[in-house]
Amino acid sequence: MNARRVFISTALVLAINLIGLMTALGPDDVSEDKDTQAIVSAIAKRGAPLSWFRTDWPLENGFYRPIPTLTFQWDRAVFGGDLPKYRLTNWLIACLCSFALVWFVWELFRTYAQAVLAGSLLAFWHSDVQRFIPVDWLCWIGAGIAFAWCLISPKGRRLDRLLLAGILMVLAFELVFGLAQSDINSKSLSWRVVGWPPGRTASCMALFALISMAAYCRFERTNGWRWLLLFAAGLIGAFCSYEQSVVLIGCFPGIALVLRMQNVRVHWIAPLCAATAGFGYAGLHSALLRSDTAYRLQQARPVIGGMRDLSAWLLPFASNFRSFFSMLIPDVGILFLSGFWMRAVLAFGSLAGTIGFVRKPSLIWITGLLGSVGTYGPLAFQHPFAHYYYFPAAFRAMFATGLIMMVTGFARRAE
């Protein structure tokens, strides 16, 4: 990536992230937050920063999170008791995550546009830009235009116009990260990641994980063994930040497979090291911490709920088919119900989108889709907090990027 492209991508991603400062500098809604108060109080009481590497973290609910704890130590040293300013650290970590995603996608696929789009989308979501730009409605308008174009103009490829309309309907849901709307307290992804200081546990892990994965890709593409040091540092940082890091055991073999599909000769030493470190981390976690804390027990949810969520992540538009077919009854009166026609339109869009996926498969959307499902998997069986979706959001941004590329491809074919 040349200097001009680096400058353009940096300026774009930074500009989107600056919108997130509205959340970080917004009205004070954290001074009374009991979790933030408890963390700061426990840090002040102990006064031994490195001791957090061998104990539970300050909330004492059974989790090993020394690095996020050290970031709170930093906040306390810089901002003192001004808890709202702690959100600036959250914003900075999230900002760095979006740049790390640009680097990771570039190293994985070596496609400039895809890398910048993915990083911009992650910044778009954690900055809550969809509050100001109705990208979903823009997609719906585009789908309507594509459908009308199919009916009115006999020239060109009508099937491609229909598929374009369907993909735009699917993209409308993905561009606002519709899967991240579930939160046990009805909070947004942006608030959890940027506006709520304890939410940085997820973004800290995501940052280290993205750096580790990008360094691994660079190692495989260049055979520069020094990149393995950064890979290892990122891996250790992720394991010291958040329990969701265990998904990295599966991420690295998947990344190696994606690289191999691009004719990159891969060494399996890094995935093997990641797996070994992951199992070692699990042993450390069980040795140092209790697994039966009240918090961990109350967070568990029924298996059926987790399976339902995972199916929604894997087949995000399947519910549209279910909703439509559930209304099919042998009664002509149903044709006069607006809800029936709305569900029919959504089912059509889902069908057209599915056909489009089959006709134009691409490595980035397949990687993004499966990666988002896999990285969310362990947390699907917990009651949802929006920051659980943050690391999966990095892969979901890759999926949405693939859809955008698909839209441009069908648009060119439909002319």
Side-chain angles (χ1 to χ4, degrees):
M1 196 184 297
N2 60 40
R4 179 173 174 271
R5 285 185 166 185
V6 170
F7 175 78
I8 292 172
S9 60
T10 300
L12 176 61
V13 175
L14 181 59
I16 298 172
N17 273 292
L18 288 175
I19 299 175
L21 281 175
M22 297 176 64
T23 300
L25 298 175
D28 177 10
D29 55 0
V30 298
S31 287
E32 301 303 319
D33 179 66
K34 289 183 170 48
D35 286 339
T36 304
Q37 292 176 350
I39 291 171
V40 176
S41 176
I43 288 173
K45 186 181 298 183
R46 180 174 296 191
L50 296 182
S51 67
W52 298 108
F53 282 90
R54 58 178 184 272
T55 66
D56 202 338
W57 84 310
L59 290 183
E60 297 184 347
N61 47 6
F63 298 117
Y64 185 70
R65 301 170 178 176
I67 288 183
T69 304
L70 292 182
T71 66
F72 278 101
Q73 191 99 31
W74 162 265
D75 284 342
R76 184 172 175 273
V78 175
F79 303 121
D82 192 353
L83 300 186
K85 289 185 178 177
Y86 287 29
R87 297 177 296 186
L88 291 172
T89 302
N90 282 50
W91 173 82
L92 178 60
I93 294 169
C95 181
L96 292 174
C97 283
S98 56
F99 284 108
L101 181 59
V102 173
W103 182 33
F104 169 54
V105 177
W106 165 253
E107 297 294 353
L108 185 59
F109 297 110
R110 286 297 167 95
T111 305
Y112 172 73
Q114 293 179 356
V116 176
L117 267 174
S120 298
L121 276 174
L122 184 63
F124 190 91
W125 293 334
H126 68 227
S127 299
D128 209 12
V129 182
Q130 57 265 37
R131 284 191 303 164
F132 313 104
I133 303 177
V135 286
D136 51 345
W137 283 103
L138 294 176
C139 287
W140 276 100
I141 292 171
I145 292 172
F147 187 69
W149 185 18
C150 177
L151 296 178
I152 295 171
S153 175
K155 297 180 180 181
R157 303 186 181 190
R158 289 188 172 182
L159 177 59
D160 286 321
R161 295 171 192 168
L162 283 175
L163 297 181
L164 174 61
I167 295 295
L168 282 167
M169 291 182 191
V170 177
L171 187 59
F173 179 75
E174 293 295 335
L175 284 183
V176 295
F177 199 11
L179 292 166
Q181 304 307 313
S182 296
D183 182 278
I184 197 169
N185 294 320
S186 301
K187 299 295 185 180
S188 68
L189 175 74
S190 175
W191 187 85
R192 287 290 185 193
V193 173
V194 177
W196 186 52
R200 72 179 62 165
T201 51
S203 54
C204 273
M205 187 278 292
L207 177 59
F208 283 111
L210 289 168
I211 290 172
S212 182
M213 294 188 299
Y216 168 62
C217 292
R218 174 62 71 91
F219 158 70
E220 295 290 23
R221 287 190 178 276
T222 65
N223 283 322
W225 288 86
R226 67 183 183 278
W227 291 104
L228 285 180
L229 297 176
L230 186 56
F231 150 78
L235 189 65
I236 293 170
F239 283 133
C240 290
S241 296
Y242 197 51
E243 294 67 35
Q244 194 178 14
S245 56
V246 295
V247 301
L248 293 174
I249 296 174
C251 283
F252 284 101
I255 293 168
L257 181 61
V258 171
L259 289 170
R260 188 69 191 89
M261 292 173 70
Q262 299 173 78
N263 298 316
V264 176
R265 183 185 176 187
V266 299
H267 308 78
W268 293 95
I269 183 173
L272 182 61
C273 289
T276 303
F279 288 115
Y281 163 77
L284 176 69
H285 204 279
S286 62
L288 294 179
L289 309 173
R290 292 174 50 202
S291 61
D292 60 346
T293 62
Y295 178 83
R296 293 177 67 173
L297 293 175
Q298 75 182 22
Q299 273 299 99
R301 66 187 297 207
V303 172
I304 186 66
M307 296 303 297
R308 183 177 60 247
D309 276 8
L310 287 177
S311 67
W313 279 69
L314 183 61
L315 301 169
F317 34 76
S319 60
N320 294 332
F321 291 119
R322 290 195 298 269
S323 297
F324 174 66
F325 287 116
S326 69
M327 292 192 71
L328 290 179
I329 57 175
D331 185 350
V332 71
I334 195 175
L335 299 177
F336 298 96
L337 297 178
S338 60
F340 170 78
W341 290 107
M342 176 57 71
R343 293 182 184 184
V345 168
L346 290 172
F348 157 75
S350 298
L351 177 61
T354 303
I355 296 172
F357 290 163
V358 173
R359 283 172 61 94
K360 282 188 75 70
S362 69
L363 201 52
I364 187 169
W365 77 251
I366 294 172
T367 302
L369 178 65
L370 297 180
S372 67
V373 174
T375 51
Y376 175 59
L379 292 177
F381 302 96
Q382 305 288 308
H383 290 296
F385 287 102
H387 59 292
Y388 291 177
Y389 310 124
Y390 192 62
F391 186 49
F395 286 92
R396 208 69 186 188
M398 294 164 58
F399 175 57
T401 295
L403 295 186
I404 293 171
M405 297 297 179
M406 196 182 300
V407 164
T408 59
F410 277 119
R412 284 195 296 266
R413 288 166 57 91
E415 293 178 355

